[in-house]
Amino acid sequence: MRFLRVGPFGAERPALLAADDETRAYDLSGLTGDIDGAFLERLLDEGPERIGTLLAQGALPVLDLAGQRIGAPVARPPKVVCIGLNYRDHAAEAGAEIPAEPVVFMKATNTVVGPDDEVLVPRGSGKTDYEVELAVVIGRTARYLASPADADAVIAGYAVSNDVSEREFQLERGGTWDKGKSCETFNPLGPWLVTADEVGDVRRLGLRLTVNGEPRQDGSTAGMIFDVRHVVWYVSQFLVLEPGDIINTGTPAGVAMGRADKPYLQPGDVMELEIDGLGRQRQVLGKA
């Protein structure tokens, strides 16, 4: 199933995308107030059968998506956990050693916006950068998972994420990475939360990003150093993961910081990104 949230910022309606038509969805407002941690936990516990039955009975109102804003597919997550340098080619372009363990940092939860919302270049920024990433959406509380094999039971689904970054703030201004990652609008998410049964092999998904139509990133999750299961298991050893949490799992090569010409983002630029089976995003850059 593919879940989404439709409507103005702060007033989105939970919905289920039609299986055969991406312009049509079904309103889930009668079942849940939002696509949030409580809904995701119930979804994992009960399975999709209840929603499937209501859909088959014609009991879910139809939503026409034409002209409507698509919000982030998860209502404000409790946490946004990120994994740095998790693709071999990205570590190489950054001139970094392959990490012995996942590099973990956090983003502010209010960075999360819709997949096509405006992204703001921060005041004083000269090095705003892009990162297409596979996001893991947590559906059950996870603490001290015994092994990576246990990760599947706590994953509600996957989404496209853009881990927008300001490299000067991140790397040249002292302290931790967080302040270069947590500027407003710095985490477009969606358009959909896709359940694991529809995604297939998350170790073989293509990721692509263009800026103003120019290909910048073209990679595969096969290039991850630590795969999804390992990442979820590892993070659970240090943080209690809660339903609704997001884990951004790293980005392949091609970021502006890693290119010789350093083509950092400017107001008016257009980012377009996609991951196989998870949908597309498009953001126009504005000024904070």
Side-chain angles (χ1 to χ4, degrees), residues 90 93 119 127-133 161-167 181 186 208-212 214-218 251-259 261-266 269-273 283 285:
H90 177 53
E93 72 176 353
V119 168
K127 297 182 179 180
T128 296
D129 208 345
Y130 48 83
E131 296 188 14
V132 59
E133 305 204 7
S161 188
N162 189 353
D163 176 20
V164 186
S165 309
E166 212 298 335
R167 302 302 188 187
K181 297 285 189 170
F186 263 27
R208 293 165 291 277
L209 181 145
T210 67
V211 177
N212 301 327
E214 175 194 354
R216 295 283 181 89
Q217 293 183 278
D218 187 357
T251 198
V255 300
M257 179 180 67
R259 293 167 56 108
D261 54 347
K262 301 290 190 289
Y264 289 112
L265 297 166
Q266 304 294 326
D269 285 346
V270 178
M271 295 182 285
E272 295 180 272
L273 52 152
Q283 298 108 33
L285 276 292

Side-chain angles (χ1 to χ4, degrees), residues 36-56:
D36 56 12
F39 171 80
L40 297 173
E41 189 168 26
R42 288 198 306 273
L43 183 69
L44 282 185
D45 289 343
E46 299 173 0
E49 289 78 14
R50 182 185 179 201
I51 295 175
T53 298
L54 292 172
L55 184 61

Side-chain angles (χ1 to χ4, degrees), residues 1-3 40 43-44 48 134-137 151-159 193-203 205 228-229 277-278:
M1 290 182 169
R2 294 176 291 178
F3 296 98
L40 297 173
L43 183 69
L44 282 185
L134 174 68
V136 180
V137 182
D152 288 346
V154 305
I155 295 173
Y158 301 91
L193 186 165
V194 183
T195 53
D197 59 299
E198 285 210 16
V199 174
D201 189 353
V202 295
R203 299 169 299 179
L205 299 178
V228 165
R229 288 173 172 170
L278 301 183

Side-chain angles (χ1 to χ4, degrees), residues 8-283:
F9 186 85
E12 296 92 343
R13 299 170 70 88
L16 172 69
L17 194 71
D20 58 349
D21 184 354
E22 293 180 4
T23 67
R24 190 176 78 252
Y26 300 96
D27 192 343
L28 298 179
S29 298
L31 294 179
T32 181
D34 217 331
I35 306 296
D36 56 12
F39 171 80
L40 297 173
E41 189 168 26
R42 288 198 306 273
L43 183 69
L44 282 185
D45 289 343
E46 299 173 0
E49 289 78 14
R50 182 185 179 201
I51 295 175
T53 298
L54 292 172
L55 184 61
Q57 293 172 345
L60 299 177
V62 174
L63 275 177
D64 183 359
L65 299 179
Q68 295 217 53
R69 172 184 174 270
I70 305 300
V74 180
R76 188 166 175 166
K79 292 189 289 298
V80 179
V81 184
C82 303
I83 307 300
L85 300 172
N86 195 30
Y87 283 72
R88 295 181 183 278
D89 56 2
H90 177 53
E93 72 176 353
E97 297 289 332
I98 298 298
E101 298 187 31
V103 176
V104 179
F105 62 94
M106 309 287 284
K107 297 189 82 153
T109 59
N110 62 3
T111 59
V112 176
V113 294
D116 302 321
D117 288 346
E118 182 181 45
V119 168
L120 300 176
V121 175
R123 296 177 187 181
S125 168
K127 297 182 179 180
T128 296
D129 208 345
Y130 48 83
E131 296 188 14
V132 59
E133 305 204 7
L134 174 68
V136 180
V137 182
I138 299 300
R140 283 197 184 101
T141 299
R143 54 166 58 82
Y144 299 114
L145 294 178
S147 74
D150 296 323
D152 288 346
V154 305
I155 295 173
Y158 301 91
V160 182
S161 188
N162 189 353
D163 176 20
V164 186
S165 309
E166 212 298 335
R167 302 302 188 187
E168 181 183 353
F169 299 175
Q170 177 189 356
L171 301 171
E172 301 173 32
R173 298 286 297 273
T176 67
W177 286 9
D178 297 29
K179 65 177 177 275
K181 297 285 189 170
S182 291
C183 304
E184 58 182 328
T185 73
F186 263 27
N187 205 131
L189 186 71
W192 316 313
L193 186 165
V194 183
T195 53
D197 59 299
E198 285 210 16
V199 174
D201 189 353
V202 295
R203 299 169 299 179
R204 298 291 185 273
L205 299 178
L207 309 86
R208 293 165 291 277
L209 181 145
T210 67
V211 177
N212 301 327
E214 175 194 354
R216 295 283 181 89
Q217 293 183 278
D218 187 357
S220 168
T221 56
M224 283 186 178
I225 298 167
F226 305 103
D227 67 16
V228 165
R229 288 173 172 170
H230 186 96
V231 164
V232 174
W233 163 78
Y234 182 87
V235 172
S236 79
Q237 308 306 304
F238 304 94
L239 304 174
V240 176
L241 292 169
E242 302 173 285
D245 282 349
I246 305 296
I247 303 178
N248 290 333
T249 57
T251 198
V255 300
M257 179 180 67
R259 293 167 56 108
D261 54 347
K262 301 290 190 289
Y264 289 112
L265 297 166
Q266 304 294 326
D269 285 346
V270 178
M271 295 182 285
E272 295 180 272
L273 52 152
E274 64 181 351
I275 298 178
D276 293 345
L278 301 183
R280 295 176 57 85
Q281 299 185 358
R282 182 182 187 273
Q283 298 108 33

